[in-house]
Amino acid sequence: MEMVVVAPPAPGRLEDLKRRFFATPLQALLSLISLTIMALIVWKLLDWAVFSAVFTTTGGPEACQAAAGACWSVIAARWRIILFGLYPFEEQWRSALACVSVVIMTVLSCMPAFWTGRRIALVWGAGTGLYYVLMKGGVLGLPYVGEEAWGGLALTLFIFVTTCLIGFPLAICLALLRRSDLPWISRTTGLIIDGVRSLPLISILFMFAVVLPFALPQWLQGDKLYRVILGSALFFSAYQAEIVRGGMQGVPAGQEEAAMALGMSYWQRIGRILLPQAMRNALPATINQFVISFKETSLVVIVGFFEILASGNAAYGTGEWRFAYVEVYAFIAFIYFVFVFSLSRYGAYLERRMAVGER
């Protein structure tokens, strides 16, 4: 007669906590001390940020200085300069709509219904064009606003979106060129990629913004903002090309050989066999690269742009709000957290979705 071995029941959550944190008297003591310290930190933070904070501008900066908590009044009084920078006050509705258009464009790009080359190109082309028309004006009765007046969150989003828009296709081209069968093409591309990756982003931004105009004719220089975006896109593409190439190396060579045996052309093998699997392999690192690129937009402040971090500095730079710099930086950190955390969660969703076929 065959014996049936029954597994013991899994411990409940309470029993598991007791086993992990209160198994011995010393472990219980250390757990209680740690919980007390964490509770004190949480209480102090809540007291500063909520219970003792000042949220309205009724009493002005003097009411904030008299209070023991945070001074969120500075956000209520200076949010326009944080979000819109030096953009003309009466035209800031355009900057707000431009930010909304970028968010809608990003959300549509994340929906599976738009995951075709034509639809993605249409969404990104229309979204970027609408952003540009709203911000710059000069058409449809909108007053002209030069790039030197752009700033705040709107400028940060514009630099991030255009960097990805230019850098991602360029990264795929570099990755394909680096795996070329012609040595002079693969080695030259590898030299370019390694050369860009060996330089810090700050030096590339400085070269494109300040040094490059001395080497180019006047008609080819363009605006400083677009030169900086090109430099940022080149830096993004160099790193992303290596990520894509790593994804390609994860695809078994037999699949491409089978496609060749079936008579598929080079572009059919790349577009239908290699790239879809390579992008799935490279997805976690790609999401990480997007997150890094979004945070690195703050570096453009060194070449004179008024992005959201520089706008925050200006928000508390006046004498009456100079004491409230912690609250301003906390507000900017919250904005960065919302965008970066959303990107990370979307990356996790994509990983689960693309792993369905493997289960």
Side-chain angles (χ1 to χ4, degrees):
M1 181 178 180
E2 186 178 357
M3 294 181 62
V4 178
V5 178
V6 179
R13 183 167 297 181
L14 186 60
E15 287 76 12
D16 185 54
L17 287 176
K18 286 181 179 178
R19 180 177 57 81
R20 296 174 63 183
F21 299 105
F22 299 95
T24 64
L26 179 60
Q27 196 175 12
L29 178 62
L30 293 176
S31 298
L32 289 174
I33 292 174
S34 301
L35 283 174
T36 305
I37 293 174
M38 286 191 290
L40 284 174
I41 292 174
V42 171
W43 169 253
K44 287 287 185 183
L45 187 60
L46 283 175
D47 183 54
W48 175 80
V50 180
F51 303 130
S52 301
V54 178
F55 293 91
T56 64
T57 58
T58 306
E62 294 77 14
C64 284
Q65 290 178 308
C71 177
W72 301 117
S73 305
V74 65
I75 307 300
R78 308 286 287 174
W79 64 272
R80 282 179 177 272
I81 195 168
I82 295 175
L83 297 182
F84 307 127
L86 300 177
Y87 209 79
F89 184 86
E90 63 278 6
E91 302 292 333
Q92 287 179 354
W93 63 272
R94 290 164 48 185
S95 186
L97 282 182
C99 292
V100 171
S101 70
V102 170
V103 172
I104 292 176
M105 177 183 71
T106 306
V107 171
L108 291 179
S109 304
C110 295
M111 297 173 65
F114 290 89
W115 289 355
T116 64
R118 182 175 299 178
R119 292 177 182 176
I120 283 288
L122 180 63
V123 168
W124 278 72
T128 308
L130 179 61
Y131 177 96
Y132 191 77
V133 168
L134 284 170
M135 289 294 289
K136 190 155 188 174
V139 295
L140 304 175
L142 299 175
Y144 173 83
V145 179
E147 287 86 349
E148 66 279 1
W150 298 8
L153 179 63
L155 181 61
T156 295
L157 290 177
F158 181 69
I159 293 174
F160 172 67
V161 168
T162 48
T163 294
C164 298
L165 193 63
I166 300 171
F168 202 83
L170 183 59
I172 294 176
C173 293
L174 290 174
L176 293 175
L177 289 173
R178 188 157 194 180
R179 65 187 300 274
S180 171
D181 295 330
L182 300 176
W184 67 273
I185 292 181
S186 60
R187 290 175 185 173
T188 304
T189 307
L191 184 65
I192 294 172
I193 292 174
D194 293 340
V196 173
R197 293 172 66 210
S198 65
L199 297 173
L201 178 57
I202 290 177
S203 65
I204 293 178
L205 295 179
F206 188 79
M207 183 181 70
F208 274 75
V210 179
V211 179
L212 201 60
F214 293 104
L216 294 176
Q218 182 72 29
W219 61 272
L220 199 57
Q221 292 180 6
D223 190 85
K224 185 170 75 170
L225 174 61
Y226 303 114
R227 293 200 305 273
V228 167
I229 289 173
L230 285 178
S232 177
L234 178 64
F235 188 80
F236 174 88
S237 64
Y239 277 88
Q240 183 61 30
E242 289 301 280
I243 294 173
V244 174
R245 191 169 69 92
M248 291 178 179
Q249 290 177 343
V251 179
Q255 295 198 20
E256 192 171 4
E257 293 170 0
M260 293 174 66
L262 291 173
M264 297 179 72
S265 66
Y266 173 78
W267 293 113
Q268 287 175 330
R269 297 197 305 272
I270 294 297
R272 298 182 181 180
I273 305 295
L274 189 60
L275 269 185
Q277 297 184 78
M279 295 311 298
R280 185 178 66 177
N281 295 339
L283 184 61
T286 299
I287 295 296
N288 189 50
Q289 186 62 28
F290 276 108
V291 169
I292 291 173
S293 299
F294 181 75
K295 292 190 289 188
E296 285 180 341
T297 56
S298 60
L299 294 179
V300 300
V301 68
I302 66 165
V303 288
F305 288 106
F306 214 64
E307 49 76 57
I308 188 169
L309 196 60
S311 300
N313 294 336
Y316 70 82
T318 57
E320 56 179 356
W321 295 109
R322 187 172 294 277
F323 63 92
Y325 60 92
V326 175
E327 290 82 352
V328 171
Y329 284 127
F331 180 66
I332 295 173
F334 176 74
I335 293 174
Y336 272 98
F337 174 79
V338 169
F339 280 94
V340 171
F341 188 74
S342 302
L343 279 174
S344 300
R345 290 298 86 202
Y346 181 67
Y349 160 75
L350 284 182
E351 290 179 29
R352 290 194 301 273
R353 179 185 176 88
M354 292 187 175
V356 169
E358 297 178 356
R359 292 201 293 264

